[in-house]
Amino acid sequence: MTDTPKKVKLTKIEQAKIEKPGLAIKDEIEQFAQTGWEAMDQDDLIIRLKFLGLFHRPVTPGKFMMRMRTPNGVINSNQMRTHAEIVQRYGQDGSADITTRQNIQLRGVHLEDIPEIFRKFKEANMTSVQTGHDNIRNITGSPIAGIDSEEYFDTRELADKLQDMITNGGEGSFEFSDLPRKFNICLEGAPDNSSHVEINDIGFVPAFKDGEFGFNVLVGGYFSAQRAAEGVPINVWIPPTDEVLDLSRAIIAIYARHGAEEGLRGNRAKSRILWLVETWGVEKFRAKLVEELGKSLSEAAPEDAFTMDKRDHIGVHPQKQEGYSFVGLHVPAGRLTAEDMFEMARLAETYADSEIRLTVEQNFIIPHVKNENVEALLKEDLLEKFSANPTPLVRSFVSCTGNQYCNFALIETKGQGLALARELDAELEIPQRVRMHWTGCPNSCGQAQVGDLGMLGAKAKVDGKIVEAVNLYMGGTVGKHASLGEVVEKKVPCGDTLKEKVKGILIEQFGATPKA
Ligand code: SRM
Ligand code: SF4
């Protein structure tokens, strides 16, 4: 198969990446730490630092966010304590977030401390490399992999191997950091699709073929300001072995190589891999994949193996291992202080085996708690803040960063979204789970499209004044019949108007009743 390369005018960002690849900046970090962020070249500051996971926050000039990698959401107490130590030194400015990719972001970091922070990461076997800009983000999977009595396959080892391949063992990989755009991968090994596999650029979906477990493969799921789409089935099934690495490598290589000639590197609004799949069509994409791999590919299994509604993992649950439970704790809007993280580490060590799991709902789980220790764990002070039994709307509340730190944001999210959830929980009896997702702008990091209710930041005009508002989404479903919600009303002003609207919806459509 031959294609005639087309001539495409590269975007400014592509030109900057050719001038100096993002990862090349690694060697300059010590020098930047000495000369300071204000002396930095703008492309180094805004583009290349993100290849090391460093995001300058113009909202708080001179302060950085650091995005980590926690494959499959697994982290240990020592790593959590290291995070706590890093942000502790920044006082009120230092905090962290659990993200919608079951990951950790640190806040308030100063450039002069980065060399020392990188040394600490290395000691704790952690990395923030390739977590921003045109890179492959944290690999997601079921947060209860390996402890779930319902699971088909424990994805943790494959997630680790994928991360090692993509990041060259955490040191940075030039091969995997020359993509036309960001890229998400999810490996789902459980029957409830708890990690939203369909919204990833590559989604490995559990599926049995002739009785054997493996993955059907989706390509191209993504959200952006331009569109939100589920991944496209590419008629491929693979066993849960290193073939997952080979296939991922091949898909990424095709995306990187053909990005320029198919125009992806000339227009950032149309540069995610879905555009390549659509330009070629699934058949050609699959054929290219076979060519890249140099071997045939098995056809997809007729059915995916999703059989359950999505679980939320909050509270105490029996583990696959007899005599043990996992305890899911709710973190309001995912926000953590240094003290919280020290305590999380302590609880994981005191009551379990020092492991902590993160979820895409921005919560955490302590696995491997001996059943006889559960009661004492539930009495710990931290559980007053991070409840094992939160009120219904708060329980399923998810939110992106919003305007506190993100300069794309059209609204504040975490604070007012959480306040709304708390107020409505106080006023209404809500008999079922209602997943409310807030996101500050159309990039939809807070995944408004997967929520029962999705609030996507906007602006409205009220009495001649511009006010914060949301485009209201409804109908997002998760689990076995996952599908994306649609916008039902635009520009609903935040505050009382939004509250009354949501209250009405909860009463009319979710069976809520006013509390006496
Ligand atoms: Fe996101 C950009 C935060 C998950 C789609 N995202 C950003 C930036 C880096 C913008 C910026 O420079 O300020 C935000 C950083 C704000 C900050 O200070 O925290 C940001 N995204 C987040 C996080 C932290 C939201 C959260 O509160 O959890 C999530 C970090 C995940 C991680 O650990 O890696 C986060 N972002 C997502 C998701 C959800 C997901 O992956 O399931 C999406 C939609 C899915 C997708 O990407 O297909 C998402 N973020 C975007 C986009 C739109 C991409 C596009 O193709 O247009 C942008 C803007 C961009 O890349 O140009 C963006
Ligand atoms: Fe920022 Fe928009 Fe993403 Fe929220 S959705 S973190 S406002 S880019």
Side-chain angles (χ1 to χ4, degrees), residues 400-402 406 408-409 439-441 443-446:
C400 85
T401 307
C406 180
F408 286 107
T439 198
C441 81
N443 286 328
S444 210
C445 306

Side-chain angles (χ1 to χ4, degrees), residues 57 99-101 103 105 107 182 223 272 401 445 447:
R57 304 289 73 199
T99 77
T100 52
R101 293 199 69 78
N103 193 15
Q105 290 187 169
R107 297 200 180 276
K182 71 181 290 196
F223 295 165
R272 299 286 292 263
T401 307
C445 306
Q447 310 150 325

Side-chain angles (χ1 to χ4, degrees), residues 215-287:
F215 299 109
N216 280 342
V217 182
L218 301 176
V219 175
Y222 87 106
F223 295 165
S224 76
Q226 291 73 35
R227 67 188 285 198
E230 290 171 23
V232 177
I234 58 161
N235 191 21
V236 169
W237 178 91
I238 51 165
T241 60
D242 283 0
E243 286 194 39
V244 166
L245 310 190
D246 299 340
L247 187 80
S248 301
R249 182 190 286 273
I251 292 174
I252 293 159
I254 287 172
Y255 178 47
R257 190 168 328 124
H258 296 282
E261 76 219 33
E262 296 298 353
L264 276 65
R265 291 188 192 261
N267 179 357
R268 292 192 57 85
K270 294 187 174 179
S271 53
R272 299 286 292 263
I273 196 171
L274 182 60
W275 295 92
L276 183 62
V277 176
E278 288 180 340
T279 304
W280 283 353
V282 167
E283 234 170 90
K284 177 170 170 186
F285 185 84
R286 193 182 189 284

Side-chain angles (χ1 to χ4, degrees), residues 269-320:
K270 294 187 174 179
S271 53
R272 299 286 292 263
I273 196 171
L274 182 60
W275 295 92
L276 183 62
V277 176
E278 288 180 340
T279 304
W280 283 353
V282 167
E283 234 170 90
K284 177 170 170 186
F285 185 84
R286 193 182 189 284
K288 284 279 191 188
L289 207 46
V290 168
E291 192 181 291
E292 182 73 26
L293 283 163
K295 63 173 193 181
S296 65
L297 279 163
S298 181
E299 287 187 3
E303 276 180 35
D304 298 340
F306 288 135
T307 56
M308 290 172 71
D309 285 338
K310 180 174 156 70
R311 295 164 284 177
D312 77 352
H313 310 118
I314 301 281
V316 181
H317 303 268
Q319 218 166 277
K320 171 156 108 179

Side-chain angles (χ1 to χ4, degrees), residues 128-376:
S128 61
V129 81
Q130 289 162 238
T131 51
H133 226 281
D134 299 342
N135 278 296
I136 303 161
R137 306 301 165 86
N138 192 44
I139 315 287
T140 53
S142 166
I144 50 170
I147 57 172
D148 176 9
S149 49
E150 304 289 338
E151 88 181 343
Y152 303 122
F153 181 78
D154 177 355
T155 50
R156 287 174 298 169
E157 192 185 334
L158 273 180
D160 281 345
K161 282 183 168 179
L162 254 181
Q163 168 163 311
D164 275 350
M165 176 180 88
I166 285 159
T167 64
N168 179 28
E171 291 300 314
S173 161
F174 285 90
E175 179 191 350
F176 286 98
S177 61
D178 179 28
L179 307 182
R181 203 64 163 89
K182 71 181 290 196
F183 201 90
N184 293 322
I185 303 179
C186 172
L187 290 159
E188 180 59 74
D192 71 333
N193 188 15
S194 65
S195 48
H196 309 299
V197 69
E198 71 286 351
I199 64 170
N200 286 265
D201 295 88
I202 305 180
F204 289 99
V205 179
F208 287 89
K209 203 166 181 190
D210 303 325
E212 196 189 327
F213 176 80
F215 299 109
N216 280 342
V217 182
L218 301 176
V219 175
Y222 87 106
F223 295 165
S224 76
Q226 291 73 35
R227 67 188 285 198
E230 290 171 23
V232 177
I234 58 161
N235 191 21
V236 169
W237 178 91
I238 51 165
T241 60
D242 283 0
E243 286 194 39
V244 166
L245 310 190
D246 299 340
L247 187 80
S248 301
R249 182 190 286 273
I251 292 174
I252 293 159
I254 287 172
Y255 178 47
R257 190 168 328 124
H258 296 282
E261 76 219 33
E262 296 298 353
L264 276 65
R265 291 188 192 261
N267 179 357
R268 292 192 57 85
K270 294 187 174 179
S271 53
R272 299 286 292 263
I273 196 171
L274 182 60
W275 295 92
L276 183 62
V277 176
E278 288 180 340
T279 304
W280 283 353
V282 167
E283 234 170 90
K284 177 170 170 186
F285 185 84
R286 193 182 189 284
K288 284 279 191 188
L289 207 46
V290 168
E291 192 181 291
E292 182 73 26
L293 283 163
K295 63 173 193 181
S296 65
L297 279 163
S298 181
E299 287 187 3
E303 276 180 35
D304 298 340
F306 288 135
T307 56
M308 290 172 71
D309 285 338
K310 180 174 156 70
R311 295 164 284 177
D312 77 352
H313 310 118
I314 301 281
V316 181
H317 303 268
Q319 218 166 277
K320 171 156 108 179
Q321 293 78 6
E322 177 110 23
Y324 288 86
S325 295
F326 66 86
V327 181
L329 299 178
H330 177 263
V331 180
R335 177 63 45 85
L336 303 169
T337 64
E339 289 71 38
D340 296 335
M341 290 187 282
F342 282 124
E343 273 301 276
M344 286 161 76
R346 184 183 67 78
L347 297 192
E349 285 167 0
T350 309
Y351 295 99
D353 73 347
S354 83
E355 197 176 291
I356 295 165
R357 306 283 182 94
L358 308 175
T359 76
V360 296
E361 283 79 29
Q362 305 171 312
N363 300 315
F364 75 99
I365 294 166
I366 302 186
H368 312 300
V369 183
K370 277 202 181 123
N371 287 344
E372 57 266 33
N373 292 338
V374 167
E375 218 180 297

Side-chain angles (χ1 to χ4, degrees), residues 411-412 416 438 458 467-470 492-499:
I411 61 170
E412 196 280 326
Q416 65 175 330
W438 278 64
V467 298
E468 291 197 347
V470 298
V492 183
C494 293
D496 290 345
T497 313
L498 179 62
K499 182 176 167 185

